[in-house]
């Protein structure tokens, strides 16, 4: 703060200097400032500066340079003035600004026409061109960091280069002030994205401590411009903002006469004006001197002037108080009057370099005053004062007491030594951006110290902790001022590591947070040791599977969870058959190889959340959690896993280069059997395993005989289904679909199983088994092919050629990867008309993977197939998905039709379904219509197509043909 005052004093001492010539930097930033096609400086700031120069009688010399080169030259003293600079706290430490802003501006983002950038979030992953070293760059990066948006910054030496990067496709967007961007957007083919930020005010700046009078003169002109006293400012802005054409003034003779009259009047007033200017100038100089004296006496530095005889010619109030005498007493004395001999000699040597050598000196001076004996350190700047002809006549000095600062620096040096001696330390600001990091922290994270500065600890976060963890950490810091704990971080190379972290809050005397200090210690070795101990305690060393202890804990937890949630579960007790014979004949090493391979195969037979454990020897346990709450369904799920295990473990093993075959026996106990007891469940599983051994090995048995009977029956049913598919025991029956006005319009195909011994088997018995076993896929393919063949038969008869045929498709069949290709193949093979084929889907199909369902339906719909949503109202259809499905028809479930006349809720639901279908432009059909009253009620609600026993039971296609003939005959 004292360097501008020093220059001001020197300027006063050389008041008769030659007229000012100012070197002004010019870089390319149209329309604010640039070099035009004629090589001349041009733009808003050039025109405004020319107005000030004319007023102050300056000579301007424009020096073209790039933006950063201009700023570097200004700091080095190679330029006197730089226009178009936004004021920031960082730049205030590097340059001197005048007080009043010259121009208001803001930053805008311009995009390539092909880039869909309309908000900050659209910039994710984009390349953004920006002027190197500009304020926009730092502000923009900070703004993106706050939103977690990642972009690639492309630096350019000039704004034109930045815009050219977008034009060439090397960047997706560019940042510029709105004046330059609007001026050049059309030229470079870029478009305004609508994203604005960083409103700023623009100034002229000088190097620190130089040209204070120039800044003051600029402020005077800006004050006149802002007040409206000088309209030149408005004219300049209008010229560059609206590009108005100049107004041509007509030349008329009488204007010349008027000019002569005005000139005569001005000549008469000239003497009076000049006299008043002299008086005003005198008052201005006196006021300036008074202000200068007040300023120099008010600053906290010691300001003085010494002549060529090294005697004081001037001393400000601070210097006078230091010496302990009045200002008049100081003038004419030398340093020996105030300091000891050693200090006087050092001061004289420094002063001699300035007065005789012409140097501008900046040095630390250690002075000891006479009588006090106290030694203090000063930072002194001394410059020579010259006459107009260049001769030195005095020196001007300013000294600042830095004694306390030096002591603080020593303390900081000690602290820095301590800082580097600890492992992993950082200091951040209140915004948690790293201000300082030691080498230990850099080694730990893999970053350099320079790379860490400016980052936040968030940059080191791994994915092992959720947002709630970090929110709790911040809350503890706010309330308690400190936090410590274990955190998993990520190094620069992506490697994750555990660390013990402590964070301490540093507050000012007012209680405001000023810094955070963090320490970090790598605890990888400790964690590895803990993990090794845990593995030894809870895992089998041979197979790596959980041991009996861990399995027991998990089983206890699983049983408790099952009681709370109601979900089912099962324990599979697996024992290898004839394992002792292998150990006795081939040795324990071969046996161990087999056990390791068995463990690997068992892991591939279960889901991620299930547990495979080794109890010891050749005994393994599988814990299956989250099964169906219904015991018979849970048993079916457990049996499916058990049979997968039987098949996996019966495959050949490669033991020491030789093939070996083995098998296992499995005992199954359901959670529902054990009444919440771990020991009871293990005992029942063990007993069931021995029952499997007794049944001849290589099989499974359930502990509960009833469950075993159900499993046996289900297994027999599945086996029978496979034989039925192989032997062609299935057939299709057809139930008519009736329209109120058109009679029979089609039918629904219903599968029947003609068992050689049991006769017709109800679909309610075999369809669930087919679904669970996966046989529904080949069965559904047979139904589809048979139905299409029936459509072809009907197409040959004019009475039935227009009939549609509805085929039920299960969720598992529809999601099969080859379903669409299979439908297309059947249509191509049979030649059936796809527009007469209607696929009935259930609402359960919509619960999983809706997008894929819609995609498959759309593909088939494009070929002409229709879709009906079966049992509508019994599931969980989302209306948002329903309106997107390419449906043709909704089917009212028979559960709503049955009590239609007696239950008002069922009637309301039916009416709602009809209204919904009409609003979605869909057809509607009701199933389960058994009485004329039900039919008439449905018709009154708007449903005119029905299906049910009222119109006939499902039967062969021939029976449906006869019914159609009878109806046709009755109509005639």
């Amino acid at each position: 703060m004292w360097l501008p005052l020093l220059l001001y004093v020197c300027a006063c001492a050389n008041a008769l200097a030659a007229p000012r010539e100012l070197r002004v930097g010019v870089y390319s930033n149209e329309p604010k400032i640039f070099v035009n096609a004629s090589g001349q400086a041009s733009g808003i700031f050039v025109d405004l500066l020319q107005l000030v120069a004319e007023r102050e009688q300056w000579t301007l010399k424009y020096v073209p340079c790039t933006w950063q080169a201009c700023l570097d030259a200004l700091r080095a003293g190679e330029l006197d003035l730089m226009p178009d600079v936004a004021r920031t706290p960082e730049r205030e430490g590097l340059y001197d600004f005048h007080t009043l802003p010259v121009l208001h501006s803001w930053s805008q983002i311009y995009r390539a026409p092909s880039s869909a950038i309309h908000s900050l979030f659209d910039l994710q992953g984009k390349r953004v061109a920006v002027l190197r070293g500009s304020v926009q760059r730092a502000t923009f990066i900070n703004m993106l960091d706050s939103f977690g948006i990642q972009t690639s910054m492309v630096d350019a030496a000039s704004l034109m280069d930045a815009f050219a990067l977008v034009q060439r496709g090397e960047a997706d967007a560019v940042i510029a002030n709105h004046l330059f961007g609007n001026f050049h957007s059309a030229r470079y083919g870029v478009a305004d994205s609508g994203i604005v930020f960083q409103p700023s005010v623009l100034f002229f700046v000088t190097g620190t401590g130089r040209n204070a009078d120039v800044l003051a003169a600029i402020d005077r002109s800006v004050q006149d411009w802002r007040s409206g006293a000088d309209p030149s400012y408005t004219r300049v802005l209008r010229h560059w903002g609206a590009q108005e054409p100049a107004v041509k003034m007509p030349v008329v003779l009488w204007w010349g006469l008027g000019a002569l009259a005005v000139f005569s009047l001005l000549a008469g007033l000239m003497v009076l004006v000049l006299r008043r200017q002299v008086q005003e100038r005198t008052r201005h100089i006196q006021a300036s001197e008074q202000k200068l004296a007040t300023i120099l006496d008010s600053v906290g530095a010691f300001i003085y002037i010494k002549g060529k005889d090294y005697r004081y010619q001037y001393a400000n109030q601070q210097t006078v108080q230091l010496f302990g005498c009045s200002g008049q007493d100081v003038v004419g004395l030398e340093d020996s009057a105030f300091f000891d001999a050693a200090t006087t000699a050092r001061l004289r040597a420094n002063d001699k370099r300035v007065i005789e050598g012409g140097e501008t000196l900046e040095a630390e001076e250690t002075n000891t005053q006479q009588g006090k004996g106290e030694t203090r350190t000063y930072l002194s700047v001394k410059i020579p004062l010259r006459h107009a002809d260049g001769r030195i006549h005095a020196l001007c000095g300013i000294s600042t007491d830095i004694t306390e600062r030096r002591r603080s620096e020593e303390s900081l040096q000690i602290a820095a030594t301590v800082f580097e001696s600890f492992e992993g330390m950082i200091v951040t600001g209140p915004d948690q951006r790293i201000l300082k990091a030691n080498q230990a922290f850099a080694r730990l994270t893999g970053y350099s110290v320079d790379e860490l500065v400016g980052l936040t600890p968030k940059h080191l976060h791994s994915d092992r902790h959720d947002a709630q963890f970090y929110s709790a950490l911040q809350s503890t810091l706010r309330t308690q001022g400190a936090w410590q704990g274990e955190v998993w971080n990520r190094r620069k190379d992506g490697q994750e590591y555990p660390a013990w972290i402590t964070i301490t809050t540093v507050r000012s005397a007012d209680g405001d947070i000023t810094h955070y200090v963090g320490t970090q210690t790598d605890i990888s070795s400790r964690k590895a040791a803990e993990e090794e101990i845990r593995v030894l305690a809870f895992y089998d060393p041979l197979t790596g599977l959980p041991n009996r202890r861990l399995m027991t804990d998990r089983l206890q937890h699983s049983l408790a969870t099952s009681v709370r949630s109601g979900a089912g579960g099962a324990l599979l007790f697996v024992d290898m058959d004839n394992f002792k014979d292998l150990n006795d004949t081939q040795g324990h090493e071969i046996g161990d190889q087999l056990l390791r391979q068995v463990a690997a195969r068992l892991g591939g037979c279960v889901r991620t959340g299930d547990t495979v454990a080794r109890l010891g020897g050749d005994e393994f346990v599988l814990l299956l959690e989250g099964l169906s709450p219904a015991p018979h369904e849970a048993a079916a799920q457990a049996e499916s896993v058990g049979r997968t295990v039987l098949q996996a473990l019966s495959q050949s093993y490669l033991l020491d280069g030789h093939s070996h075959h083995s098998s296992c026996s499995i005992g199954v106990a359901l959670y529902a059997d054990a009444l919440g007891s771990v020991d009871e469940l293990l005992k029942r599983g063990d007993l069931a395993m021995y029952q499997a051994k007794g049944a001849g090995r290589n099989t499974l048995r359930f502990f509960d005989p009833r469950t075993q009977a159900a499993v046996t029956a289900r297994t027999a049913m599945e086996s029978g289904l496979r034989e039925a598919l192989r032997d062609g025991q299935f057939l299709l029956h057809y139930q008519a679909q009736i329209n109120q006005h058109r009679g029979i319009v089609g039918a629904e195909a219903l599968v029947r199983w003609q068992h050689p011994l049991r006769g017709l088997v109800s679909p309610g018995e075999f369809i669930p088994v087919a679904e669970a076993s996966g046989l529904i896929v080949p069965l559904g393919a047979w139904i589809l092919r048979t139905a299409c063949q029936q459509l072809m038969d009907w197409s040959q008869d004019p009475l039935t050629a227009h009939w549609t045929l509805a085929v039920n498709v299960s969720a598992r069949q529809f999601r099969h990867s080859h379903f669409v290709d299979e439908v297309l193949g059947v249509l191509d093979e049979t030649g059936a008309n796809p527009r007469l084929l209607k696929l009935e889907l259930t609402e359960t199909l919509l619960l999983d993977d809706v997008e894929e369902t819609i995609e498959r339906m759309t593909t088939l719909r494009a070929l002409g197939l229709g879709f009906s949503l079966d049992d509508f109202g019994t599931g969980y259809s989302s209306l948002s998905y329903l309106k997107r499905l390419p449906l043709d028809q909704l089917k009212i479930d028979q559960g709503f039709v049955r009590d239609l006349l007696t239950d008002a809720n069922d009637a309301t639901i039916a009416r709602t379904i009809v209204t919904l279908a009409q609003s979605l432009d869909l057809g509607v059909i009701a199933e389960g219509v058994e009485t004329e009253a039900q039919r008439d009620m449905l018709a009154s609600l708007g449903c005119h197509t029905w299906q049910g026993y009222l119109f006939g039971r499902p039967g062969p296609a021939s029976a449906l043909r006869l019914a159609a003939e009878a109806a046709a005959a009755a109509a005639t």
Side-chain angles (χ1 to χ4, degrees), residues 389-597:
D389 60 2
R391 291 181 296 109
I392 298 174
H393 63 85
L395 73 78
C396 179
I398 180 168
S399 299
T400 304
D401 192 338
I402 60 171
T403 305
E404 299 305 325
R405 191 178 80 183
R406 276 285 170 257
R407 292 172 182 170
S408 298
E409 289 175 353
E410 291 175 0
S411 299
L412 289 175
Q413 184 63 39
I414 296 173
T417 303
V418 174
F419 181 79
E420 287 298 339
S421 67
F422 282 81
E423 180 173 336
M425 292 187 68
I426 58 170
V427 178
T428 75
D431 60 353
Q432 299 190 1
R433 291 195 176 276
I434 297 174
L435 304 175
K436 186 173 180 60
N438 66 0
Q439 291 295 334
F441 193 92
R443 288 192 300 270
L444 183 59
T445 61
Y447 293 89
S448 68
V449 172
D450 290 340
E451 288 175 326
L452 287 167
V453 173
L455 299 179
T456 65
K458 183 179 179 180
H459 199 76
L460 305 175
H461 289 178
S462 68
D463 296 329
R464 299 203 182 192
H465 306 290
D466 56 18
Q468 186 177 1
F469 172 84
Y470 293 107
S471 177
L473 186 156
Q474 295 293 338
S475 177
T476 302
L477 269 181
R478 287 192 299 270
T479 57
Q480 302 182 17
W483 182 90
Q484 64 176 348
E486 180 182 312
V487 177
W488 280 86
N489 277 344
R490 181 182 285 113
R491 294 187 172 94
K492 182 179 180 180
D493 60 4
Q495 179 187 5
E496 295 180 353
Y497 66 97
W500 184 261
I501 291 178
T502 63
I503 307 173
T504 304
T505 303
V506 180
R507 297 182 180 270
S508 66
D510 298 330
D512 297 328
I513 296 175
T514 61
H515 298 86
Y516 293 99
V517 177
T519 64
Q520 184 175 153
T521 305
D522 189 344
I523 58 173
S524 300
S525 299
R526 191 189 80 189
K527 294 289 290 185
E530 292 174 353
E531 178 63 17
E532 184 177 356
I533 294 173
R534 189 185 71 85
V535 169
L536 291 174
F538 295 104
Y539 289 87
D540 172 46
L542 176 64
T543 63
L545 295 177
N547 59 16
R548 179 184 291 271
R549 178 180 178 183
L550 180 55
M551 184 277 299
T552 302
D553 289 344
R554 290 188 180 179
L555 182 54
Q556 183 68 62
H557 176 75
S558 180
L559 286 172
T561 302
S562 177
V563 171
R564 290 194 302 270
S565 66
L571 179 145
L572 275 63
F573 206 104
V574 181
D575 186 270
M576 298 303 297
D577 296 331
N578 303 314
F579 178 75
K580 184 175 183 301
D581 294 341
L582 176 68
N583 257 350
D584 293 343
T585 59
Q586 302 295 326
H588 289 282
E589 175 59 31
I590 299 298
D592 288 348
Q593 290 184 32
L594 176 65
L595 293 176
R596 283 192 289 267
Q597 294 184 39

Side-chain angles (χ1 to χ4, degrees), residues 671-688:
Y671 282 11
D673 300 334
L675 303 177
S677 170
V678 172
D679 292 338
E680 185 65 22
L681 189 63
L682 288 171
K683 181 174 71 175
R684 294 187 175 193
D686 193 35
L687 289 174

Side-chain angles (χ1 to χ4, degrees), residues 4-327:
L5 298 175
L6 174 62
L7 296 176
Y8 194 74
V9 173
C10 300
C12 292
N14 292 278
L16 298 178
R20 297 295 298 272
E21 179 185 79
L22 298 180
R23 298 163 298 174
V24 183
V26 179
Y27 75 105
S28 179
N29 192 357
E30 297 180 62
K32 293 188 291 182
I33 184 168
F34 62 100
V35 177
N36 61 24
S38 302
Q40 302 297 318
S42 187
I44 297 174
F45 276 89
V46 171
D47 289 354
L48 294 178
L49 183 59
Q50 190 62 40
L51 294 176
V52 182
E54 291 173 1
R55 178 174 179 173
E56 301 295 332
Q57 298 184 354
W58 295 337
T59 299
L60 302 179
K61 179 181 178 182
Y62 292 102
V63 180
C65 47
T66 64
W67 164 255
Q68 191 58 49
C70 283
L71 293 178
D72 294 341
L74 190 67
R75 293 184 62 188
E78 298 169 3
L79 291 178
D80 302 303
L81 202 61
M82 178 66 180
D84 188 25
V85 180
R87 191 165 195 158
T88 66
E90 294 79 4
R91 288 178 178 170
E92 286 178 347
L94 301 174
Y95 313 100
D96 285 348
F97 290 73
H98 53 87
T99 304
L100 300 175
V102 176
L103 196 64
H104 291 76
S105 180
W106 58 84
S107 299
Q108 288 190 196
I109 297 179
Y110 297 84
R111 61 180 177 82
S114 60
S115 297
I117 298 174
H118 304 287
S119 71
L120 280 178
F121 297 98
D122 295 335
L123 293 170
Q124 178 70 35
K126 296 294 192 298
R127 303 163 300 171
V128 181
V130 67
L131 180 63
R132 182 184 298 110
S134 62
V135 175
Q136 291 102 323
R137 189 185 195 282
T139 303
F140 181 71
I141 292 175
N142 290 337
M143 182 170 63
L144 293 187
D145 285 348
S146 67
F147 287 96
I149 300 172
Q150 299 293 326
T151 63
S152 298
M153 305 303 296
V154 184
D155 289 327
S158 69
L159 287 174
M160 286 188 175
D161 290 345
F163 272 63
L165 288 171
V166 178
Q167 187 182 45
R168 295 195 301 268
E170 297 174 16
D172 303 300
V174 60
I175 299 174
N177 65 80
H178 76 285
L179 291 171
F180 183 93
N182 294 340
F183 196 82
H184 285 287
S185 58
R187 172 183 175 185
Y188 287 94
V190 298
D192 184 5
S193 68
I195 305 172
V196 299
F197 66 99
Q198 192 201 15
S200 60
V201 289
L202 304 176
F203 297 82
F204 292 89
V205 298
T206 70
T208 303
R210 298 193 293 271
N211 301 315
D213 58 328
V214 172
L215 298 179
I218 292 174
D219 269 330
R220 289 194 297 273
S221 292
V222 175
Q223 179 62 43
D224 290 345
W225 297 340
R226 296 291 185 188
S227 66
D230 185 353
S232 303
Y233 178 81
T234 303
R235 289 198 298 269
V236 169
L237 294 187
R238 186 182 300 116
H239 169 72
W240 288 103
Q243 295 293 312
E244 297 179 354
V247 179
K248 296 184 179 179
M249 299 296 294
V251 181
V252 184
L253 181 59
W254 62 269
W255 279 107
L257 298 176
L260 290 175
V262 173
F263 178 77
S264 300
L265 179 61
L266 291 177
L269 297 176
M270 185 64 69
V271 174
L272 179 60
V273 172
L274 291 176
R275 182 178 301 163
R276 289 185 177 179
Q277 286 182 345
V278 171
Q279 292 174 350
E280 180 63 27
R281 186 71 172 177
T282 301
R283 287 195 298 271
H284 178 72
I285 292 174
Q286 291 173 347
S288 298
E289 290 178 350
Q290 182 63 36
K291 290 179 182 177
L292 175 60
T294 301
I295 292 172
L296 295 180
D297 287 338
S298 299
V299 298
F302 306 97
I303 303 174
Y304 46 87
I305 296 176
K306 297 179 185 178
K308 294 189 67 175
D309 57 357
Y310 302 103
R311 297 179 183 274
Y312 286 94
Q313 295 180 353
Y314 167 81
N316 72 343
Q317 190 63 30
Q318 291 289 331
T319 307
V320 169
Q321 291 177 357
L322 176 66
F323 292 162
C325 57
S326 65

